Amino acid sequence: MKKYDKVASRDASKSYMNMVDNSHLGSSDEVTKLMERVETTFIKHFSNSNRRKGMEVLRPKPKVERHRITFAMGCFAGCTAALKLALVLITRARKIMDEPGGSQYMENMFPLYSLFGFIVLHMLMYAGNIYFWRRFRVNYSFIFGFKQGTELGYREVLLLSFGVAVLALASVLSNLDMEMDPKTKDYKELTELLPLFLLLLLIVILLCPFNIIYRSSRYFSLVCVFHSICAPLYKVTLPDFFLADQLTSQVEAFRSLQFYICYYGWGDYKVRETTCRSSDVFKIFSFLVACIPFWSRLLQCIRRLVDEKDPMQGYNGLKFLLIIVSVSMRIAHTLTDDVNWKVLAGIFSIVAAIFATYWDLVVDWGLLQRRSNNRWLRDKLLVPYKSVYFIAMVLNVLLRFAWLQTVLKFNVSFMHRQTMITVVGSLEIIRRGIWNFFRLENEHLNNVGKYRAFKSVPLPFNYDEDHDKHL
């Protein structure tokens, strides 16, 4: 009523509120008595007659936005920008890449540090997704099944992503400083171990059982990862296959992990020379590692086909099977440089890309409906600007075909080969970030429009167990 009075420049709320106050609903105390009976029953049976504890559950306080999170996020963001600028200036001023060891550094150390770049970029895209989901009222916390009060906001995700970025950039600068400083240049093994120490630190934080650094969110993510790895042994839920879709965009990150195992496991870091890419075992695992996320997604589709008897899951599984074949042939062409593999890789990649693009736009996003109220879109749209959907479709098509670089081998004079690989991997992560928003928007509208939900309606209880123990 206040909003109506403000827009219409009228004073109608007073008369309506008088009508409500004089009605039976406003004057009767039956509702109040019913609330008191419910509170008494809940306190007796669910909180061991502890009234204070029971009332905290029934009437939770709204989640407080902590200023220290915003301050820490801004601090880490500033440190990230400063470290990136320092890295560029040091590299340019001292002409490190022109030194004899510059090419060796790009071949050995750049793949190790690019892993953290992929992780940070994906987290930044997820933070952007959360911001726009909230802005356009997509109920992402209910769709994912987060416990009320424990879901991370975009500020918390930005805090974590910038924190990882600061650690990674500081490690890069430390590594370069050890390379250039005559006093530390002899400690080659220690210099090469910096990225490994950083990776182990992140793994320890992720697996930390103590109630720090958003334990509930870390546990939720680990459970989804475990279900994705063990597919098809577990029933597939939306968080499981949504996370598996994210992993399909992190193929280059998986290859970086493979390089970690080879570089440090075989002791190449001691001599600062890698023989991994010339090893037949490494080449074989290149096939397997690149296909693992798609294979996991294929098994999830098979499990859903068996459980739900939905033929669409069979077609979705066929899409991932085509992608597995195309990725394998592209890797075979890269390793052998054979013309026959190049032709087969191009054919299967084009078919898989067209199939996947159609599935993204029509099935996952629900767009390209010719007879909808919004031409070539869908009947209901949460974003008020239709041009956003058309731009997103064009970007999805363009970024879907970024794999052409691996077949046609585009050469950019000012880019090292490892840099080009990282750029192509980053483009896929950006595409996935755009896909995430419209995929969940379509899921939200289907839940509302079809009067269904994948899970029971959440109760108004506060599960924020880490209320004062977060970062």
Side-chain angles (χ1 to χ4, degrees):
M1 292 305 301
K2 289 181 179 179
K3 189 71 174 179
Y4 171 77
D5 290 345
K6 182 179 180 180
V7 174
S9 300
R10 298 181 61 184
D11 190 16
S13 60
K14 185 180 295 185
S15 59
Y16 278 103
M17 290 307 300
N18 290 332
M19 184 185 302
V20 172
D21 293 337
N22 296 328
S23 65
H24 178 72
L25 179 64
S27 59
S28 175
D29 58 351
E30 293 181 5
V31 176
T32 304
K33 291 181 179 179
L34 182 60
M35 290 175 60
E36 292 176 353
R37 289 174 58 189
V38 171
E39 291 172 357
T40 303
T41 303
F42 181 87
I43 292 170
K44 179 180 178 181
H45 296 285
F46 294 96
S47 61
N48 297 324
S49 299
N50 189 332
R51 180 173 179 79
R52 183 183 62 83
K53 181 179 178 181
M55 294 307 294
E56 287 180 354
V57 175
L58 287 175
R59 297 181 182 179
K61 297 179 181 179
K63 190 175 182 180
V64 180
E65 294 290 343
R66 297 175 177 83
H67 294 294
R68 65 175 179 268
I69 292 179
T70 305
F71 174 80
M73 179 199 71
C75 181
F76 284 147
C79 292
T80 300
L83 290 173
K84 288 178 65 176
L85 180 61
L87 180 62
V88 173
L89 292 178
I90 290 176
T91 304
R92 292 291 183 182
R94 303 192 181 186
K95 299 181 179 180
I96 296 176
M97 293 299 105
D98 296 335
E99 296 293 330
S103 177
Q104 183 182 4
Y105 181 88
M106 292 297 295
E107 290 292 337
N108 295 351
M109 303 306 294
F110 192 81
L112 301 178
Y113 284 115
S114 62
L115 170 65
F116 305 106
F118 295 136
I119 295 174
V120 171
L121 179 59
H122 212 130
M123 294 176 69
L124 291 176
M125 295 300 296
Y126 180 62
N129 290 145
I130 293 176
Y131 174 80
F132 286 107
W133 285 333
R134 286 187 173 182
R135 180 177 177 181
F136 296 107
R137 298 184 179 182
V138 176
N139 197 356
Y140 72 97
S141 59
F142 174 63
I143 294 175
F144 286 141
F146 295 142
K147 289 183 179 180
Q148 187 176 358
T150 63
E151 70 275 9
L152 297 183
Y154 68 93
R155 291 183 180 87
E156 288 86 353
V157 178
L158 286 176
L159 173 63
L160 295 174
S161 59
F162 286 130
V164 175
V166 168
L167 292 175
L169 289 171
S171 179
V172 173
L173 287 173
S174 300
N175 191 284
L176 290 177
D177 184 66
M178 289 183 184
E179 284 281 340
M180 295 177 294
D181 191 348
K183 295 181 180 180
T184 59
K185 196 170 183 180
D186 293 335
Y187 300 104
K188 296 181 179 181
E189 295 185 18
L190 178 61
T191 306
E192 303 294 303
L193 286 173
L194 280 178
L196 179 62
F197 289 154
L198 180 56
L199 178 62
L200 293 177
L201 174 62
L202 295 183
I203 294 175
V204 169
I205 293 175
L206 183 63
L207 301 177
C208 178
F210 301 108
N211 194 14
I212 57 174
I213 313 180
Y214 310 119
R215 182 180 64 176
S216 59
S217 298
R218 289 188 285 109
Y219 176 77
F220 184 87
S221 301
L222 289 174
V223 170
C224 293
V225 170
F226 180 76
H227 288 175
S228 300
I229 295 175
C230 296
L233 301 179
Y234 291 90
K235 183 178 180 180
V236 182
T237 61
L238 189 143
D240 295 337
F241 72 74
F242 196 87
L243 179 63
D245 282 327
Q246 310 307 306
L247 296 180
T248 59
S249 297
Q250 288 284 3
V251 172
E252 294 302 330
F254 282 99
R255 288 173 175 168
S256 296
L257 287 174
Q258 178 192 0
F259 188 74
Y260 265 92
I261 297 173
C262 176
Y263 191 68
Y264 291 106
W266 292 1
D268 290 347
Y269 71 97
K270 297 179 181 179
V271 294
R272 289 186 174 179
E273 292 182 359
T274 177
T275 58
C276 295
R277 294 183 178 87
S278 60
S279 171
D280 293 335
V281 177
F282 188 86
K283 293 179 181 179
I284 293 173
F285 273 94
S286 296
F287 286 91
L288 300 177
V289 168
C291 296
I292 284 175
F294 299 104
W295 181 254
S296 175
R297 195 67 186 87
L298 172 61
L299 295 177
Q300 286 183 339
C301 293
I302 295 174
R303 176 61 188 260
R304 293 188 67 186
L305 177 63
V306 174
D307 291 342
E308 303 173 13
K309 303 297 189 294
D310 184 4
M312 292 298 291
Q313 298 302 324
Y315 299 134
N316 198 15
L318 178 60
K319 178 190 73 174
F320 288 106
L321 180 60
L322 288 174
I323 293 176
I324 291 173
V325 174
S326 63
V327 169
S328 301
M329 290 186 174
R330 290 206 299 267
I331 296 174
H333 162 62
T334 303
L335 297 177
T336 61
D337 201 20
D338 187 5
V339 178
N340 295 327
W341 283 117
K342 182 177 182 179
V343 174
L344 291 175
I347 294 174
F348 277 92
S349 296
I350 291 174
V351 173
I354 293 175
F355 194 173
T357 302
Y358 172 83
W359 195 273
D360 287 344
L361 303 182
V362 178
V363 181
D364 290 337
W365 292 2
L367 303 178
L368 294 181
Q369 297 181 13
R370 184 177 180 182
R371 298 182 179 180
S372 66
N373 296 331
N374 302 296
R375 186 75 170 178
W376 296 111
L377 299 178
R378 65 170 102 87
D379 291 337
K380 293 183 179 180
L381 304 173
L382 294 183
V383 181
Y385 308 104
K386 297 180 182 179
S387 59
V388 172
Y389 294 91
F390 291 105
I391 293 173
M393 286 191 287
V394 173
L395 287 176
N396 185 275
V397 173
L398 294 177
L399 296 178
R400 265 287 182 189
F401 285 86
W403 53 264
L404 283 172
Q405 186 272 336
T406 59
V407 177
L408 301 180
K409 294 184 178 180
F410 300 127
N411 292 321
V412 182
S413 58
F414 59 87
M415 276 192 183
H416 191 272
R417 183 178 63 89
Q418 291 295 335
T419 306
M420 178 63 72
I421 293 174
T422 303
V423 169
V424 173
S426 299
L427 291 178
E428 171 59 22
I429 294 174
I430 294 173
R431 187 199 69 81
R432 180 61 62 183
I434 299 173
W435 179 90
N436 288 342
F437 174 81
F438 297 100
R439 174 66 180 87
L440 218 65
E441 179 202 19
N442 190 37
E443 182 69 22
H444 173 85
L445 293 175
N446 286 335
N447 270 332
V448 175
K450 297 181 180 179
Y451 303 97
R452 66 177 176 84
F454 79 100
K455 205 173 183 180
S456 59
V457 177
L459 298 175
F461 301 156
N462 187 3
Y463 292 94
D464 192 1
E465 301 169 345
D466 307 338
H467 184 69
D468 293 321
K469 298 180 182 179
H470 282 170
L471 281 177

